Amino acid sequence: VFFLGIKKVKKANKIRRQWNREENDIRLALLPFLEAEADVQRLHLQATLNEKEAAIMKDVPNWEVGTEVYKTRYMKPFEIVGRSPLDLFK
């Protein structure tokens, strides 16, 4: 009886691993599309901010719209799309 229980547990674990693998494959397949959508949103936001900056700073001589005030480069933060932050600690 004990061995039948162990066999059922092993079978259930195998099925659970297959489900998790399938879920991860789906997330990996969707990731490029989600990143592309986030990039489009970022570009749209940057264009809107540039328009507002141009309207606000139109009277300032030698002001270039869209240039950085600080001479550093933008580093996009590490993003995990489609996953719960709690999934990282499993």
Side-chain angles (χ1 to χ4, degrees):
V1 177
F2 175 76
F3 293 108
L4 291 176
I6 293 295
K7 186 175 180 181
K8 284 186 177 184
V9 168
K10 284 185 178 182
K11 185 176 180 181
N13 286 341
K14 183 178 179 182
I15 291 172
R16 189 178 310 114
R17 279 193 306 272
Q18 288 173 347
W19 287 345
N20 286 337
R21 189 176 303 121
E22 182 180 353
E23 223 175 273
N24 286 334
D25 288 345
I26 291 170
R27 285 185 179 128
L28 286 174
L30 288 176
L31 192 61
F33 298 105
L34 295 174
E35 284 185 2
E37 184 177 348
D39 290 343
V40 169
Q41 288 176 350
R42 186 183 55 80
L43 289 174
H44 176 70
L45 177 64
Q46 187 64 40
T48 304
L49 292 176
N50 284 344
E51 290 174 6
K52 289 181 181 179
E53 181 182 354
I56 292 171
M57 302 301 284
K58 64 184 175 190
D59 297 329
V60 177
N62 298 329
W63 185 265
E64 297 177 13
V65 176
T67 58
E68 295 292 325
V69 178
Y70 305 106
K71 303 302 178 194
T72 60
R73 62 187 179 121
Y74 175 73
M75 297 286 291
K76 189 166 120 176
F78 179 69
E79 296 174 357
I80 299 177
V81 180
R83 299 221 36 166
S84 169
L86 297 177
D87 289 346
L88 294 174
F89 302 106
K90 283 185 177 179

